[in-house]
Amino acid sequence: MLQTPTAPDAPADAPADAIASADGTPDAPVGVAAEPVAEAPVAAARRTAWWIPTLAVGIALAGATGTSLAAGSFADAVRAEHIAKVAELERVAEDARGELRAAITRAGSAGDEGQAIADVVVPGLGSSELATELAERSSRALELAATEVPELADPIAYDQSTLRPAWISIAELLQTRARGVELLGDLEQLTTDGDEINEAATDTRAARSSFYASAAADAGQVLLANQVATYESRIAVQHGIDQEGEGWFEEPYSAEAYSQLAGAVDAMKASAVAETARRADAAYAEHGPIEDFARSIAHGVNLDFTWAHMVNGLSSDDWYAGNATYRYGDGGWATIQLSHSIGWRWADDVNATAVVVHEVGHAQVVRPECDPLFTGPVFGSDDEMWATAWAIASGYDVSGSGIGAYGRPSDAQIAEAAKCL
């Protein structure tokens, strides 16, 4: 542990009456410490003030009694001890300067990141009070990040000669003590500034996290209120709330993450409006029951639907057509596109129904109990044979199940797919 430099005890061979302070008051007995080992800088400054005459008188009297060589040796020893202590103090102060620089970097980063979010806040997505707090803390962090790291006092150019006069050792000793007092003051200021700046950085990061959490809570409420939106659009909002998921690459609590969450919320709202309008359209009288049927046999796999006149390059004028895109993540889900012709002939042609069952069959591979069957040796991940076999196993042994387009699966494949029903 570092300690405040102290005045050395009087030399053991010096006369007792030579050890006197500037005002003539006797010091402590020879060989006994006259003060604590460690004191505050103010005390160190006082010691410097009274030690000048004390040591000078001691050396002068010692020289008069023929012990100048011993006095010089003593001064050298005390000088060396103080130089070592101040060197250690300087090392600690330099470390504190490094810590201050690091704190400034942290505060600047926290301030920039916090301000970036504050600049893109969307009304209704996050607490306005927390947004204000974030802006204020970010501003304070950036202000403190402009703090300059002070330089330490220049080192002393010591006399390195072998035969050094006693008075030079004394002078350098006093310089060293004065520099030690100055370094203690520097160290205290560096530590105080570093603590303040670190605290500002920590507070700003906490404010950023708190604000994002409030935004995520608001997004969660919007998510609950827009269940009619497509599953795809709702997944994007959930990713923003969780700050993770497939396709999520943003840094936590960042302006980019917040902006992506805000964009996902807007897209979900737009999807809900569009879906509400779709369900109000006359065509939904045909499409709605078909979608409900598909969901009823999907074993909980989430399904989104789109409808078109042309699907896979085939026209509704001549074909029943469908297409499925399935995803394993986010609970397992799929988007199924169907041709308008399926809606037109749903009630009177079982092949129209079989096409829908085939597309739902594609989506079944995301289920944990079905994927091993699909990827196993019987199917080898053959999508079309799997979907056709699944439709046949579901009771649709007709051309529309996929037989007409891809051929009939083997009995072993149909039996394997039936394990997934």
Side-chain angles (χ1 to χ4, degrees):
M1 169 183 270
L2 285 179
Q3 298 174 327
T4 304
T6 61
D9 295 331
D13 59 350
D17 59 356
I19 309 303
S21 65
D23 57 5
T25 303
D27 269 317
V30 174
V32 179
E35 56 197 18
V37 174
E39 291 187 8
V42 174
R46 282 201 302 270
R47 286 197 300 278
T48 299
W50 61 256
W51 182 246
I52 297 173
T54 302
L55 185 58
V57 171
I59 294 298
L61 291 178
T65 58
T67 58
S68 59
L69 184 60
S73 177
F74 172 74
D76 282 347
V78 177
R79 167 186 173 277
E81 178 184 356
H82 281 66
I83 289 174
K85 289 183 178 180
V86 170
E88 176 63 15
L89 181 57
E90 184 171 22
R91 185 192 64 76
V92 175
E94 283 293 352
D95 287 347
R97 291 182 74 240
E99 287 297 325
L100 179 57
R101 282 192 291 267
I104 288 172
T105 299
R106 285 190 286 268
S109 177
D112 285 339
E113 292 165 353
Q115 190 61 57
I117 295 182
D119 289 343
V120 295
V121 169
V122 176
L125 190 64
S127 163
S128 58
E129 291 81 5
L130 291 178
T132 299
E133 180 182 352
L134 174 59
E136 291 174 350
R137 291 192 181 279
S138 298
S139 177
R140 177 58 176 162
L142 290 173
E143 178 184 340
L144 290 175
T147 299
E148 292 187 5
V149 179
E151 297 290 338
L152 299 181
D154 291 335
I156 298 169
Y158 291 106
D159 185 336
Q160 303 296 337
S161 59
T162 304
L163 298 176
R164 186 185 311 104
W167 67 268
I168 291 181
S169 294
I170 294 169
E172 291 184 348
L173 164 62
L174 298 179
Q175 282 183 283
T176 303
R177 293 191 59 158
R179 187 160 187 265
V181 171
E182 186 176 356
L183 285 172
L184 283 172
D186 291 342
L187 178 58
E188 181 178 2
Q189 189 61 53
L190 288 166
T191 302
T192 299
D193 290 348
D195 289 345
E196 181 182 14
I197 296 173
N198 271 325
E199 182 178 3
T202 299
D203 289 346
T204 303
R205 287 193 295 268
R208 195 176 78 213
S209 298
S210 296
F211 173 72
Y212 196 101
S214 71
D218 287 343
Q221 292 301 312
V222 179
L223 184 62
L224 289 174
N226 288 273
Q227 294 295 305
V228 70
T230 62
Y231 191 73
E232 182 175 14
S233 69
R234 289 185 287 125
I235 285 171
V237 174
Q238 192 63 56
H239 286 176
I241 292 172
D242 299 336
Q243 299 192 76
E244 62 181 15
E246 186 175 343
W248 183 267
F249 303 107
E250 306 302 341
E251 287 294 322
Y253 311 109
S254 64
E256 293 78 13
Y258 178 83
S259 294
Q260 189 160 322
L261 174 62
V265 168
D266 286 344
M268 180 183 65
K269 289 179 179 178
S271 173
V273 171
E275 184 64 11
T276 298
R278 185 178 80 89
R279 294 185 181 191
D281 188 85
Y284 191 72
E286 291 180 349
H287 299 165
I290 299 171
E291 294 172 16
D292 290 342
F293 165 76
R295 290 189 175 99
S296 73
I297 62 172
H299 298 278
V301 177
N302 296 284
L303 303 177
D304 285 337
F305 291 92
T306 63
W307 294 79
H309 186 76
M310 295 284 295
V311 176
N312 293 334
L314 302 175
S315 170
S316 289
D317 295 333
D318 303 302
W319 299 88
Y320 302 133
N323 183 61
T325 303
Y326 57 85
R327 292 92 166 177
Y328 285 90
D330 300 299
W333 64 289
T335 301
I336 293 178
Q337 185 178 53
L338 300 172
S339 62
H340 289 309
S341 54
I342 291 175
W344 300 338
R345 301 294 302 277
W346 178 259
D348 55 21
D349 189 346
V350 68
N351 285 293
T353 305
V355 171
V356 175
V357 178
H358 175 97
E359 302 307 333
V360 173
H362 278 305
Q364 296 305 291
V365 301
V366 304
R367 292 166 54 196
E369 61 269 37
C370 300
D371 182 60
L373 306 175
F374 168 62
T375 58
V378 177
F379 285 100
S381 299
D382 186 329
D383 277 298
E384 298 306 341
M385 279 298 100
W386 165 268
T388 302
W390 193 85
I392 294 172
S394 297
Y396 294 85
D397 193 354
V398 295
S399 177
S401 67
I403 296 173
Y406 309 109
R408 184 181 182 82
S410 68
D411 290 344
Q413 288 178 318
I414 296 172
E416 188 79 349
K419 299 175 183 177
C420 180
L421 295 177

